Amino acid sequence: MALYALIAEPDPARAAGLLSLIQGEGLEGVVVRDGAEAQEVVRQRSAPTLLVTDLALPRVDGFALLTWLRERDDAAGTHVVVVTAFDELRVRAWQLKDALGIHSLLSRRASVDLMRDTMRRVIAGQRAPPPPPPESSAELEQQRLARIETLKLVDEGPPEAELQALVTEVAQAFGVPVALLSLVLGERQWFKAHVGLPPSLAQDRGTPRDWAFCHHVVQGREPLVVPDATRHPVFRDNPLVRDGIVGSYAGAPLLTSSGEVLGSLCVIDTRPLMLGAEDLSALRELAGRVAGDLEQKARVRQAAQGRRDTGRAPLEPALTEASALALLRDAVQALDVAVLLVAPGRRPFACNSALAELLGLPAERIPALSFEAFCQHVAGLTADPALALRQLDLASESSRGFHLTVALERPRPRRLRWVARPFPVPGGIAQLLTLSDLGSAAPARDERERLLRVDALTGLDTRRSGEERLLREIGRCRRDGVPFTLLLVDLVGLGTLNATRGFDAGDAALRDVARRVERFGAPSGFAVRWEGGTLLVALPGVDASGAEGLRQQLRADPGAPEVVTAAIGVEGEEDPQGTLARARAALARAKAERKPAHPG
């Protein structure tokens, strides 16, 4: 057992606080943002002296992480502190404390002093007392329900077209069949907007509150992710899980400006959900934006009703939209900071030379782009365009400000602070986007995250990020009814090449193979450095005959390093891990068949 503390916490600010407490007790602290990353650290370093973990972790939840840890021979002495916002998860964990080896359970609302005292006791080998019963505040619940009533969010009419479009876009962005905008009422949850639900739930537009995963989001006031509900000790007996409607869940709270949680914005799949911590953060930001929009629309309705009640006609605007934007354009172009003026309807209207220079785009071209095309250009300058595009898209028209940090790789490494400031103009809501250059030195966490996702030698995805993409793509292809093939490619004699000609020669050969297989994955697939000299190519939409053609191309390339290949198609509802196991076995057989029967 190694002398370090492992902190599994998706929220960077809370992770930093826990790390400070750990370091104050003289232990080295290692921070990870999901359960799968925690497993990888344990595999590399062996079990820690202390594990501090949430129960709602992306990719592998806290219950599954603890179960896996207790199966390791080197983890018998690992002390475990659970810190979570979700009362019912905490109660269930305490019931399983002996099997999971939990020494203490704390609420996220616990004071710093209580957390510090608990860490000291657990490190010393003492078990903490049972957790206090879940907090109950009827007054806060009444305030929350009153806020929903004041905003007039529940109605008998059909879902609003704008909100329906929103949840549809969310489902597509996260690669899931179901997305909901759910309000949690007294005894039930009600779907203000929804996509992908079975007809019975869509007709009812809700479920009993006891069934609602969103209830836990409201209670905990935090995002909740359940990567595999069918195996989760709290959710596996939920009627929605038993009926196959919910196999996995991720939801973020609709938090108002005055602090009430109206419900949640959530995504649901029938299969395990491999969203990472960045995805959960993006969902949280989007939920905050939606809550702000709901409040803003309520204020507009109330103002209009007030004018009708008093018999006063609305005042005519002093400016038209065009004249207001023209005045703002002159001001924007005079600024030294990089600024983009976005007109109502998400239409880039004007920018200044500082923005054009920062992004490498001619200033006159930017107003001709759509907002989506502008975001795509910025995302294309990052190391992970798909993730960056999803985050940037959150900075759309909103009643609340939005800000995030974007790490650019091109034309040179730098970090940008992207801030969206919405404001009213005649005709709608405009936006002022400012991009501030934070410098070229990426923070340690960003650099570490990049190294975990991009293999430094080949430039391909690492196994960690590749697994996330692979599971999502398999699920998408199943839903769309298209084939999916895995191609494993192993560089022959890499160890011998390293030993006889040096590691530079081995690295060059592996990079050569990586460039070749990367072309096979384009445009819809992708390549991953799986392990050592083995690369994996994900081929969505490619069947067995197409994969065989690619294998022939690899073998027929004259002068290229020799490789051994194996291709496996995804079969029916097979677990993706089972598909990977079959692919590895096929590659092992191919390597064995290649070896000469009589060496020498």
Side-chain angles (χ1 to χ4, degrees):
M1 185 169 58
L3 293 176
Y4 74 100
L6 181 59
I7 301 167
E9 168 55 61
D11 186 281
R14 290 195 176 92
L18 292 170
L19 179 61
S20 177
L21 290 176
I22 292 298
Q23 292 173 335
E25 300 307 311
L27 276 177
E28 175 197 0
V30 176
V31 175
V32 296
R33 298 185 67 186
D34 62 56
E37 190 179 346
Q39 291 176 329
E40 188 62 30
V41 169
V42 173
R43 290 189 188 102
Q44 293 176 3
R45 299 192 54 166
S46 78
T49 301
L50 174 67
L51 171 63
V52 182
T53 183
D54 196 347
L55 295 171
L57 295 175
R59 301 177 69 208
V60 174
D61 69 72
F63 289 99
L65 173 63
L66 291 175
T67 300
W68 173 85
L69 183 69
R70 290 312 176 195
E71 293 173 350
R72 291 180 59 94
D73 294 336
D74 61 352
T78 297
H79 299 90
V80 174
V81 175
V82 169
V83 183
T84 189
F86 305 102
D87 290 338
E88 292 182 46
L89 271 63
R90 192 165 66 252
V91 169
R92 182 61 176 145
W94 187 255
Q95 294 169 348
L96 299 172
K97 65 181 184 303
D98 294 332
L100 299 178
I102 296 173
H103 295 75
S104 178
L105 280 138
L106 291 172
S107 167
R108 271 192 172 162
R109 296 179 286 275
S111 67
V112 174
D113 289 340
L114 177 57
M115 287 192 179
R116 181 182 294 108
D117 179 64
T118 300
M119 299 291 182
R120 288 174 178 171
R121 295 181 62 174
V122 170
I123 292 171
Q126 304 173 22
R127 283 190 179 270
E135 300 174 8
S136 176
S137 175
E139 182 179 353
L140 289 178
E141 176 67 2
Q142 289 302 316
Q143 291 175 0
R144 191 185 70 80
L145 295 176
R147 185 64 167 159
I148 294 175
E149 174 61 28
T150 300
L151 296 175
K152 304 297 183 186
L153 297 178
V154 181
D155 57 64
E156 297 302 323
E160 299 173 30
E162 182 181 350
L163 295 178
Q164 282 295 104
L166 168 72
V167 294
T168 300
E169 291 173 4
V170 169
Q172 292 172 349
F174 287 89
V176 298
V178 178
L180 306 174
L181 184 59
S182 175
L183 303 179
V184 177
L185 309 180
E187 299 297 330
R188 66 191 293 256
Q189 70 170 338
W190 182 74
F191 306 140
K192 188 166 181 65
H194 57 84
V195 64
L197 285 175
S200 58
L201 288 183
Q203 182 177 358
D204 293 342
R205 290 185 69 180
T207 71
R209 183 167 176 169
D210 291 345
W211 296 9
F213 285 63
C214 298
H215 155 74
H216 298 271
V217 176
V218 169
Q219 173 267 314
R221 303 175 60 83
E222 296 285 344
L224 170 67
V225 59
V226 183
D228 188 348
T230 63
R231 300 182 181 181
H232 197 285
V234 174
F235 298 108
R236 62 191 174 202
D237 294 325
N238 185 293
L240 299 174
V241 177
R242 291 201 308 265
D243 291 345
I245 297 170
V246 177
S248 51
Y249 170 94
L254 300 171
L255 188 64
T256 69
S257 57
S258 51
E260 299 90 3
V261 180
L262 308 174
S264 82
L265 178 66
C266 67
V267 293
I268 294 171
D269 204 339
T270 55
R271 302 181 178 89
L273 192 64
M274 292 302 292
L275 299 184
E278 300 86 358
D279 298 303
L280 201 60
S281 177
L283 187 64
R284 181 175 194 162
E285 293 282 2
L286 183 54
R289 189 199 78 175
V290 172
D293 286 345
L294 293 176
E295 287 189 288
Q296 174 67 12
K297 290 177 181 177
R299 286 193 289 267
V300 171
R301 287 196 304 269
Q302 290 165 358
Q305 183 63 46
R307 288 193 295 269
R308 286 193 295 269
D309 292 343
T310 59
R312 291 185 301 178
L315 296 176
E316 289 296 325
L319 294 172
T320 65
E321 177 183 317
S323 60
L325 291 174
L327 291 172
L328 291 167
R329 176 180 56 205
D330 294 339
V332 162
Q333 292 174 344
L335 295 174
D336 293 329
V337 295
V339 177
L340 173 67
L341 175 61
V342 182
R346 300 179 73 188
R347 295 177 290 113
F349 185 81
C351 71
N352 57 9
S353 57
L355 181 87
E357 181 180 351
L358 189 65
L359 300 180
L361 276 173
E364 64 275 9
R365 182 183 166 196
I366 293 177
L369 297 174
S370 67
F371 187 78
E372 290 73 15
F374 175 78
C375 288
Q376 287 172 358
H377 175 81
V378 177
L381 304 178
T382 70
D384 190 342
L387 173 62
L389 184 59
R390 188 158 60 243
Q391 293 176 322
L392 292 177
D393 192 53
L394 299 178
S396 59
E397 185 176 311
S398 173
S399 61
R400 302 175 71 180
F402 184 90
H403 55 85
L404 54 83
T405 301
V406 183
L408 301 188
E409 294 288 327
R410 293 173 292 278
R412 62 180 178 83
R414 67 176 78 187
R415 291 184 300 130
L416 297 182
R417 191 63 169 169
W418 170 298
V419 179
R421 295 183 176 89
F423 59 93
V425 296
I429 300 294
Q431 259 190 98
L432 202 64
L433 300 185
T434 58
L435 276 67
S436 306
D437 191 346
L438 300 181
S440 60
R445 182 176 63 80
D446 289 351
E447 178 64 13
R448 176 170 167 272
E449 183 66 22
R450 188 187 69 79
L451 292 174
L452 286 170
R453 291 187 168 275
V454 180
D455 178 60
L457 175 61
T458 64
L460 304 180
D461 285 355
T462 62
R463 180 167 180 167
R464 174 199 176 207
S465 60
E467 277 191 348
E468 293 181 25
R469 295 180 67 182
L470 187 64
L471 293 177
R472 287 187 204 168
E473 281 298 305
I474 289 176
R476 183 185 64 80
C477 286
R478 279 174 170 159
R479 287 191 294 272
D480 295 344
V482 299
F484 190 101
T485 302
L486 299 180
L487 176 64
L488 285 179
V489 180
D490 188 79
L491 175 58
V492 172
L494 178 59
T496 302
L497 188 60
N498 287 333
T500 57
R501 297 179 53 193
F503 284 96
D504 287 345
D507 290 350
L510 189 58
R511 280 194 292 266
D512 185 7
V513 175
R515 296 288 75 76
R516 292 162 64 202
V517 302
E518 189 175 29
R519 292 195 297 270
F520 290 162
S524 59
F526 55 92
V528 181
R529 186 178 182 187
W530 201 248
E531 54 189 8
T534 302
L535 309 177
L536 178 146
V537 190
L539 301 169
V542 176
D543 58 15
S545 62
E548 183 58 31
L550 296 178
R551 292 181 64 204
Q552 295 296 338
Q553 289 182 45
L554 280 171
R555 288 198 291 265
D557 196 350
E562 184 182 358
V563 295
V564 176
T565 64
I568 291 293
V570 174
E571 297 179 352
E573 295 296 317
E574 178 184 39
D575 185 286
Q577 296 297 336
T579 305
L580 288 169
R582 286 196 299 112
R584 287 193 293 267
L587 182 65
R589 289 194 300 270
K591 292 167 70 173
E593 291 168 0
R594 179 200 165 274
K595 292 180 180 178
H598 301 286

